[in-house]
Amino acid sequence: MFTIAKYEGIQLLRDPLVLLMSTLIPLAACGFIYWSLGSANIALAAVFVPFFMGSFVIYGSSVTTLAARRQNLFLKRLRCTSESSAGIVIGLILTFILLAAAETIGMITVFSILQTPPSNFFLFIVAVTLVLALYVGFGLATAGVTKSPDSAQVTTLPVALGVMGVAFWVAVSGTETLTLLKLALPGGAAAELLLGAWQGTQWQEAAIPLIVTVAWTAIAFVASKFFFKWEPRR
Amino acid sequence: MTSNTLIEAKELSVRYGDFIAVDRLSLAIAQGELYALLGTNGAGKTSTLETLQGHRGPSSGRVAVFGADPRDIKKVRPRTGIMLQESGFAPTLKVAETVQLFGDLSGRIDDARRVVDVAGLSDKANVRVSQLSGGEKRKLDFATAIFGNPELIFLDEPTVGLDIGARDQLWAAINEIRDQGCTIVLTTHYLEEAEQYANRIGLMHHGKIQMEGCFSDLASSFPAKIHFEAAAEKAAIPFPVEAEGPYAWAISTENAERDVFELQSWARQQGIGIHGLSVRRANLDDIFRTLSH
């Protein structure tokens, strides 16, 4: 897994434009959101960060990379080695996962310095980890139904926009109304979890959104096992 | 399974829904052997190979490589190199980096530069894969398969896209690793390669191995051919002949000596000159054509 990740990293470094865009654009977007929402809404900005990083750095890049590697038969080549299936797939996207994690940690650290850190720090870390994992699972599942890197522009739209849209809806409007719907939709419970953790929700109160978020992450990974393809359809 | 059998398939079947791609196939490949698995299009070679390589399981029957299920990649893959017919590489990685990447993933240890040299890519070691020609990519495929001197190598159409010189070079490298005791499973559409290099040949058709053996045994069970040129009409020649060109003929024969004598006697009696007379035993082309029909 780490061998594959190392060489994916080398390839990323050899494409400076892609590297720059993967790093600067998400950071700039998060900075803009913080500035737009204002310091009074730091919790909302903190919810936005992992969803944005997950959606664009992990999800979009993973789907495009896996579709490209499948289309050019590089995946097929890797399957002839001693590396496990899971090791191959995670190795190919590990660079993006680490980039998203680093950028998320960086932005939250900046928010914490500018304002205050999350009140329930460990719950917030768990929530961020689950959100990023959720996007990894969705990425693997979507890659299975994405024929080529070109079609990734279309196949990623529902999850990229839908999940983030739900997260914002929940973060902005709360869960006093339409509680069941907001918590059940993908991203809703995770947003509630992040917001609550930043504002000081305790573990017991966070149980339901935590369970729902874990369930959605599990669903995403089960779907990825079902949908993922190693070779282009003949 | 005898002690030196490396690959064994017993009553192997591979089905895709109602379609039977491989139909109760049995084979055994000994250590150190170069076994050529040939077959008509759609014969089931790819499905057989993918099962032997551990990419899929059998629908029924049994497969063992090194005595283990080939899907047990931790046990089998470190001892196996695979050169696919078609596969891709990361375009921005260099040749030596690519060999090192797949070498590291193979579970074996070797020097990437040595492997690059053996594959005939010494002058391309620092060139990006995207800049290689098709033939050079085949050599790179070969290099990644032989990294670390595996005990077993699958070579799927290894010389496709190579010019004559590169083919000879590649076969020299293959024969060298074979001399070191490597077991090789070869598929190729260049039948002369199988004739020349394989210890045994398995001919597949409709999901089964229809014929198996060393080339000379397979050829001896088919008639030889007498080739000649004679300015005569087909009906006038006292043998069932096939036309091979203007006044060029071929006769299938079970007894070449007798038939050549009779042909020459007839030609003398008729005052017809015979040119380019030769006798050729059956080759894989002939065997293949018989199999397909």
Side-chain angles (χ1 to χ4, degrees):
Chain A
M1 174 171 78
F2 296 111
T3 302
I4 296 171
K6 171 185 155 189
Y7 284 94
E8 286 294 315
I10 289 173
Q11 292 178 75
L12 189 60
L13 289 172
R14 287 185 181 159
D15 199 337
L17 187 63
V18 168
L19 182 62
L20 212 60
M21 293 298 125
S22 303
T23 318
L24 289 184
I25 300 294
L27 290 174
C30 292
F32 176 76
I33 289 290
Y34 171 76
W35 174 78
S36 305
L37 290 173
S39 55
N41 291 306
I42 186 69
L44 282 182
V47 169
F48 175 84
V49 169
F51 276 99
F52 192 86
M53 298 302 177
S55 186
F56 292 105
V57 180
I58 293 179
Y59 179 68
S61 303
S62 297
V63 175
T64 308
T65 297
L66 291 170
R69 299 287 181 265
R70 180 174 57 233
Q71 189 182 46
N72 80 348
L73 305 179
F74 187 58
L75 264 191
K76 188 177 175 183
R77 192 96 205 48
L78 287 172
R79 282 203 90 200
C80 293
T81 66
S82 300
E83 188 59 66
S84 66
S85 300
I88 290 170
V89 169
I90 298 299
L92 288 170
I93 63 175
L94 187 60
T95 309
F96 301 115
I97 295 172
L98 293 175
L99 197 57
E103 290 181 298
T104 301
I105 290 168
M107 285 307 302
I108 297 303
T109 303
V110 168
F111 290 172
S112 300
I113 291 168
L114 292 175
Q115 298 286 310
T116 54
S119 298
N120 192 335
F121 179 78
F122 288 112
L123 181 60
F124 190 80
I125 295 297
V126 167
V128 166
T129 305
L130 283 172
V131 168
L132 298 185
L134 181 69
Y135 277 108
V136 170
F138 279 140
L140 299 179
T142 309
V145 299
T146 303
K147 281 187 194 162
S148 67
D150 307 325
S151 54
Q153 297 171 65
V154 173
T155 60
T156 55
L157 284 177
V159 169
L161 298 179
V163 172
M164 207 152 56
V166 167
F168 274 172
W169 179 41
V170 169
V172 168
S173 65
T175 53
E176 285 79 26
T177 56
L178 299 172
T179 309
L180 277 177
L181 178 66
K182 285 175 177 176
L183 289 179
L185 288 172
E192 176 74 359
L193 195 63
L194 282 164
L195 197 62
W198 189 276
Q199 292 170 337
T201 300
Q202 297 306 303
W203 288 89
Q204 302 96 297
E205 293 163 310
I208 290 174
L210 185 60
I211 290 167
V212 175
T213 305
V214 168
W216 267 112
T217 308
I219 288 169
F221 278 97
V222 167
S224 72
K225 284 202 89 162
F226 186 74
F227 287 117
F228 194 78
K229 301 274 182 296
W230 290 94
E231 291 183 48
R233 283 186 194 278
R234 295 185 204 178
Chain B
M1 186 165 170
T2 61
S3 60
N4 76 336
T5 301
L6 217 69
I7 297 176
E8 190 177 34
K10 266 207 171 116
E11 298 283 307
L12 167 67
S13 289
V14 178
R15 285 184 283 274
Y16 304 105
D18 291 334
F19 175 67
I20 303 173
V22 182
D23 188 7
R24 287 166 294 142
L25 179 148
S26 294
L27 61 75
I29 299 172
Q31 192 176 353
E33 198 176 9
L34 194 158
Y35 186 96
L37 183 65
L38 310 180
T40 51
N41 290 336
K45 294 191 304 297
T46 301
S47 297
T48 302
L49 277 180
E50 288 181 350
T51 309
L52 297 180
Q53 290 166 4
H55 293 308
R56 67 173 72 253
S59 302
S60 62
R62 204 179 78 85
V63 176
V65 177
F66 298 113
D69 186 332
R71 289 170 292 178
D72 188 349
I73 60 174
K74 291 290 176 215
K75 262 194 191 154
V76 175
R77 287 287 169 79
R79 303 167 78 177
T80 308
I82 298 174
M83 179 182 180
L84 296 171
Q85 182 180 354
E86 262 189 314
S87 67
F89 294 103
T92 55
L93 290 181
K94 298 175 187 175
V95 166
E97 288 172 340
T98 302
V99 171
Q100 192 63 63
L101 163 62
F102 285 99
D104 290 346
L105 294 176
S106 70
R108 300 185 293 274
I109 295 170
D110 203 337
D111 176 8
R113 286 282 165 160
R114 180 200 77 83
V115 175
V116 165
D117 291 342
V118 167
L121 289 169
S122 306
D123 55 343
K124 301 284 182 181
N126 287 317
V127 170
R128 292 192 183 188
V129 171
S130 56
Q131 295 172 301
L132 297 182
S133 67
E136 287 165 343
K137 285 180 184 170
R138 288 308 280 151
K139 290 183 184 180
L140 179 56
D141 247 317
F142 178 68
T144 59
I146 65 169
F147 186 99
N149 299 311
E151 296 168 63
L152 167 65
I153 295 183
F154 290 92
L155 299 176
D156 196 348
E157 308 278 358
T159 54
V160 161
L162 300 184
D163 59 44
I164 280 285
R167 281 172 65 185
D168 289 343
Q169 204 180 14
L170 191 68
W171 271 108
I174 293 170
N175 284 324
E176 201 176 311
I177 57 177
R178 176 199 190 168
D179 290 343
Q180 291 164 8
C182 182
T183 305
I184 299 171
V185 178
L186 168 75
T187 65
T188 178
H189 281 114
Y190 295 118
L191 300 180
E192 63 273 17
E193 289 181 348
E195 281 180 28
Q196 191 175 351
Y197 298 114
N199 296 111
R200 279 192 307 143
I201 297 166
L203 287 166
M204 281 190 74
H205 189 53
H206 289 146
K208 291 182 191 296
I209 290 187
Q210 304 288 350
M211 303 184 71
E212 189 181 47
C214 63
F215 171 61
S216 54
D217 286 347
L218 293 178
S220 64
S221 61
F222 280 77
K225 275 203 172 147
I226 302 168
H227 300 270
F228 65 98
E229 291 166 18
E233 297 304 317
K234 186 177 179 179
I237 303 173
F239 291 96
V241 291
E242 299 161 29
E244 291 189 330
Y247 300 120
W249 311 102
I251 301 168
S252 293
T253 175
E254 302 284 354
N255 188 333
E257 202 176 332
R258 177 201 65 200
D259 290 343
V260 165
F261 179 76
E262 285 185 18
L263 178 67
Q264 287 176 318
S265 301
W266 165 80
R268 257 196 308 275
Q269 282 167 17
Q270 302 298 317
I272 294 171
I274 298 247
H275 308 282
L277 179 66
S278 66
V279 179
R280 180 179 61 72
R281 69 174 174 175
N283 60 19
L284 277 176
D285 277 342
D286 302 322
I287 297 170
F288 236 83
R289 285 200 186 91
T290 308
L291 202 65
S292 324
H293 296 132

